[in-house]
Amino acid sequence: MRDETTPTHCPYCALQCGMNLRDVPQPGADAGTAVEVVERPDFPVNRGALCGKGRTAPSLLSSRVRLSGPLIRSHATGRLEPATWEEALRTIADGLRRTRETHGADAVGVFGGGGLTNEKAYTLGKFARVVLGTSQIDYNGRFCMSSAAAAHTKAFGLDRGLPFPLEDIPRTGCVILVGSNLAETMPPALRYLTELKENGGRLIVVDPRRTRTAEQADLHLAPRPGTDLALALGLLHEVVAQGRTDEEFITARTSGWADARAAAMAHWPELVERITGVGVPELREAVRLFCDAPSAMVLTARGPEQHSKGTDTVSAWINLCLATGRAGRPLSGYGCLTGQGNGQGGREHGQKADQLPGYRKLDDPAARAHVAQVWGVAPESLPGPGRSAYELLDALGRDVKSLLLMGSNPVVSAPRAAHVEDRIRSLEFLAVADVVLSETAALADVVLPVTQWAEESGTTTNLEGRVLLRRKALDAPDGVRSDLEVLGALAGLLGHEKGFPADPEEVFEELRRASAGGPADYSGITYRRIADENGVFWPCPEEPEEAGGPHPGTPRLFLDRFATADGLARFVPVAHRPAAEEPDAEYPVLLTTGRVVAQYQSGAQTRRVDELNAAAPGPFVELHPQLAERLGVAEGEPLAVVSRRGRATGPARITTSIRPDTVFMPFHWPGEGRVNSVTNPALDPTSRMPEFKVCAVRLEPAGPAGGA
């Protein structure tokens, strides 16, 4: 047994909190060792603090809850039954090959996940395009921050969740936090807001619910769900009306102000009050707090982003920053709080439908030529952009006949989930690689058990753009292989013996070359540097020898210029429009969704941890006392939330912390409590983000579950 601990990172959210893993001997002569989590106070993001999910993460390493060997669906019984690795891999290769030969390359789909390491995301994208020759690849990170990414790119020429490190937040003067409940989604990050207030800074929280985070605010704005765009435009109108724009900054460092200003001036405060429900005095107080501060930030999360107008909404908040000179300056700017563990890196290196490694665009001839040279293929052999995540899922069984899925559980996490489940069931062939038998894996023809965070090394990129190194702390159980081994073996069976190594550091070295010169340039980052420096911020190009030393990385973007051709930030003129689905007589209530502190995403992993289940055992329907009284609903009474797409059920939780016109459900559970059976797949025209955060519903006593 080793005496030392292994420094690594939590497998869950985009904070990627630092932790140490220590060996724990197990009873029995051949029982081996397990690991336990101990503090790692030297890592600056969390400084040793961990939430319950991070503390209990080793529970998932137990053979009691995880997959321990490959499974193949028996033609005779219809059940998943144990198989050898050779049988399972051959079955997958034959299934994918058969689909390609019968229906063409684009009839094969690949669906990845925002929790995959950079090495896995990179290899999955390469496998799809080089081995399968398909354009049909996307990932569940499309459901995370794609709207913010699109708006960030439009305005600044580059998308990185936070253009500054988290350590800057307590040092600014004011933060507007839009649609984020950090106290439950990223508990260790709440300290940054606490320290902000201790330092004399002000906090404004925008959320239709009075969450634990909103309770910390100096000012809580509770807009009607689906109206964040109008709210941001109303604030910008007030900034202009009060003469609080930074004209010097606008002239020197931006373009497009006249059109954006005209669009905002059409949203006068009284109109915005009618749309949002936020009073004019509150709007003016928010502007005062934001503009009186010497520096300020706007941080958004899924609340304003998961809408069919999410890109425009984020653009409106960016416009507010630009108009007040709160971007491209120290301790100021717009940032997005990425959700998934590698949501940032996962979309930078090729598992997104329109991107190649280094955040290059797939339809850019120069980008194609560069990456093709690294991969040793002809640029013209690379397929073009494919379908976005929901569109890909919706095409299953129709245009896309077979699917290889890694690290995602769309049966629970996708919008209009009952429909998505039907599409998955209609596939000719489905192969899933996962740690546990998720609801999606349970539908597969072949299931492969893969290694977890503590059993493999690899890099992730956290919400700051800090590239981190997860280190292997123990061996995986017999019968379990890594995703990289899986992809390498499948590539070999499909005629590509070389180019798909199983060693993550070897993959990362190729990723460095593929990303070189791209917007997300990792070429100057190595495993050794990450370990020595507690992470390295991209972009970090490889410097020539005459430069005198390695590039230091870029913790803070845009201080000298923005990443546009002329160095200027772009205002984007936007106007409010209603949600894709507004309440009516049949569906008179608004539904919004989100997370609870003890569960994570689709819950496939956290629902297998006893301590977390004890804290959050199941779904619930949160509603205001006025709405409960009108409906005759009592606390704890089973309640059905019904939309045009389906229904979800849970006990009523009556609270004054939510608007009377709105109900809330968390989205971590399958079955009758699956709220994504209800949500709306209407897509943002730019980001292709579904409208998870608002739809029209009615409430009724819980009856037989169903959905369409």
Side-chain angles (χ1 to χ4, degrees):
M1 177 178 133
R2 298 170 300 126
D3 293 329
E4 72 275 9
T5 58
T6 301
T8 190
H9 296 273
C10 177
Y12 290 114
C13 82
L15 284 180
Q16 287 296 280
C17 291
M19 59 169 62
N20 287 318
L21 296 180
R22 181 169 58 201
D23 288 347
V24 179
Q26 299 298 291
D30 300 319
T33 60
V35 292
E36 65 179 359
V37 172
V38 293
E39 285 190 2
R40 184 183 166 190
D42 67 304
F43 186 64
V45 170
N46 61 307
R47 290 173 263 168
L50 292 167
C51 73
K53 294 187 291 291
R55 285 189 298 99
T56 60
S59 299
L60 272 298
L61 301 168
S62 168
S63 59
R64 181 178 64 85
V65 297
R66 69 185 301 176
L67 292 165
S68 58
L71 303 171
I72 296 179
R73 192 168 301 281
S74 167
H75 292 296
T77 67
R79 293 192 295 267
L80 288 169
E81 298 184 354
T84 68
W85 269 96
E86 290 68 25
E87 290 170 335
L89 290 168
R90 177 65 65 183
T91 301
I92 295 173
D94 289 346
L96 300 179
R97 183 188 295 110
R98 184 169 55 250
T99 297
R100 290 186 65 210
E101 291 173 352
T102 304
H103 303 289
D106 275 357
V108 180
V110 177
F111 200 86
L116 300 180
T117 62
N118 290 318
E119 292 81 359
K120 294 176 185 179
Y122 172 84
T123 303
L124 190 62
K126 180 181 178 182
F127 178 85
R129 295 180 174 106
V130 173
V131 177
L132 300 177
T134 183
S135 67
Q136 300 303 302
I137 175 172
D138 212 81
Y139 80 127
N140 63 15
R142 176 78 68 170
F143 301 155
C144 177
M145 56 175 292
S146 58
S147 292
H152 223 153
T153 301
K154 282 184 178 183
F156 305 132
L158 180 68
D159 160 49
R160 195 179 83 186
L162 293 181
F164 40 74
L166 285 162
E167 67 185 44
D168 285 1
I169 293 174
R171 300 164 55 212
T172 193
C174 181
V175 169
I176 302 180
L177 183 68
V178 189
S180 172
N181 182 12
L182 281 179
E184 299 208 44
T185 59
M186 296 179 175
L190 191 64
R191 71 192 309 162
Y192 292 102
L193 302 181
T194 302
E195 292 170 5
L196 166 76
K197 296 189 67 177
E198 290 172 349
N199 292 339
R202 311 305 290 271
L203 175 63
I204 303 168
V205 172
V206 179
D207 198 305
R209 303 166 64 222
R210 188 163 182 80
T211 64
R212 288 172 52 202
T213 306
E215 289 174 354
Q216 310 299 313
D218 298 287
L219 178 64
H220 173 214
L221 307 180
R224 183 175 180 267
T227 64
D228 293 302
L229 176 52
L231 179 65
L233 287 163
L235 293 176
L236 183 52
H237 182 290
E238 271 298 298
V239 165
V240 174
Q242 294 180 26
R244 308 206 69 167
T245 56
D246 187 330
E247 296 296 330
E248 182 180 351
F249 177 88
I250 291 170
T251 300
R253 300 203 57 191
T254 75
S255 66
W257 169 230
D259 289 342
R261 180 184 185 278
M265 297 313 288
H267 299 77
W268 59 95
E270 292 77 12
L271 172 63
V272 170
E273 179 176 5
R274 289 199 298 274
I275 294 171
T276 66
V278 176
V280 172
E282 294 175 290
L283 295 173
R284 290 175 176 153
E285 177 65 3
V287 168
R288 185 188 71 79
L289 293 175
F290 189 68
C291 293
D292 281 356
S295 56
M297 300 173 177
V298 173
L299 305 176
T300 70
R302 305 303 78 75
E305 298 164 15
Q306 287 182 322
H307 293 270
S308 59
K309 55 178 182 290
T311 302
D312 284 357
T313 300
V314 175
S315 291
W317 289 106
I318 292 174
N319 288 348
L320 178 67
C321 291
L322 294 176
T324 54
R326 309 306 175 90
R329 286 175 169 171
L331 305 181
S332 288
Y334 163 78
C336 168
L337 299 171
T338 310
Q340 294 191 77
N342 198 31
Q344 181 70 52
R347 72 180 184 280
E348 294 168 1
H349 297 299
Q351 66 171 334
K352 191 163 172 276
D354 57 352
Q355 284 176 353
L356 288 169
Y359 228 149
R360 289 180 161 91
K361 299 297 290 182
L362 189 54
D363 55 5
D364 176 359
R368 294 170 65 86
H370 175 86
V371 174
Q373 188 275 327
V374 174
W375 288 350
V377 299
E380 58 271 19
S381 72
L382 298 177
R387 293 176 172 89
S388 70
Y390 179 77
E391 292 165 305
L392 174 56
L393 295 172
D394 188 45
L396 299 181
R398 296 171 178 141
D399 297 329
V400 178
K401 306 293 186 179
S402 293
L403 183 69
L404 173 64
L405 186 145
M406 288 183 148
S408 186
N409 188 19
V411 165
V412 178
S413 63
R416 199 185 174 196
H419 169 74
V420 169
E421 180 178 343
D422 287 343
R423 301 299 348 126
I424 289 173
R425 288 180 181 276
S426 73
L427 283 164
E428 293 180 3
F429 182 77
L430 171 65
V432 174
D434 209 332
V435 170
V436 298
L437 190 67
S438 70
E439 287 72 23
T440 305
L443 304 179
D445 297 286
V446 183
V447 181
L448 300 179
V450 291
T451 50
Q452 299 187 53
W453 57 289
E455 301 163 348
E456 59 187 9
S457 294
T459 61
T460 61
T461 306
N462 81 344
L463 74 172
E464 308 166 293
R466 188 194 302 254
V467 185
L468 305 168
L469 180 61
R470 290 185 188 166
R471 297 168 177 85
K472 181 178 178 179
L474 75 168
D475 291 331
D478 292 339
V480 174
R481 299 184 185 180
S482 75
D483 296 276
L484 294 179
E485 289 178 288
V486 168
L487 292 170
L490 289 175
L493 289 170
L494 291 167
H496 293 259
E497 298 289 344
K498 296 182 180 180
F500 292 87
D503 178 63
E505 189 166 6
E506 187 177 346
V507 175
F508 190 78
E509 288 301 304
E510 182 178 300
L511 182 157
R512 292 176 61 207
R513 299 196 306 275
S515 73
D521 191 333
Y522 282 34
S523 60
I525 304 175
T526 64
Y527 274 29
R528 178 177 292 276
R529 279 197 66 182
I530 298 170
D532 290 345
E533 300 172 30
N534 251 335
V536 181
F537 290 85
W538 72 262
C540 183
E542 187 171 30
E543 298 280 36
E545 289 186 14
E546 59 268 22
H551 189 285
T554 315
R556 296 170 180 86
L557 297 170
F558 313 138
L559 295 182
D560 299 317
R561 69 189 311 276
F562 295 97
T564 56
D566 59 9
L568 302 179
R570 306 281 190 263
F571 281 98
V572 178
V574 292
H576 173 71
R577 61 183 184 274
E581 185 177 76
E582 289 286 322
D584 58 19
E586 187 175 3
Y587 300 97
V589 178
L590 292 167
L591 168 72
T592 192
T593 67
R595 284 170 46 188
V596 297
V597 67
Q599 300 289 353
Y600 183 71
Q601 304 301 73
S602 75
Q605 296 183 37
T606 51
R607 285 187 274 112
R608 288 168 166 82
V609 178
D610 292 342
E611 180 180 330
L612 300 178
N613 276 335
F620 56 87
V621 182
E622 187 178 280
L623 70 163
H624 193 275
Q626 292 177 14
L627 181 57
E629 182 179 7
R630 190 162 73 244
L631 297 171
V633 174
E635 177 75 19
E637 180 179 334
L639 199 58
V641 177
V642 184
S643 76
R644 291 174 174 85
R645 291 156 294 281
R647 60 185 273 147
T649 63
R653 184 175 293 184
I654 300 173
T655 174
T656 57
S657 66
I658 192 167
R659 292 174 54 97
D661 58 1
T662 301
V663 295
F664 167 84
M665 282 192 75
F667 53 68
H668 310 292
W669 289 273
E672 294 183 4
R674 181 176 62 183
V675 72
N676 277 323
S677 294
V678 178
T679 51
N680 193 347
L683 299 180
D684 181 293
T686 301
S687 68
R688 315 310 287 169
M689 168 73 84
E691 191 150 83
F692 285 100
K693 282 296 185 227
V694 61
C695 68
V697 299
R698 67 171 182 265
L699 305 181
E700 57 190 32

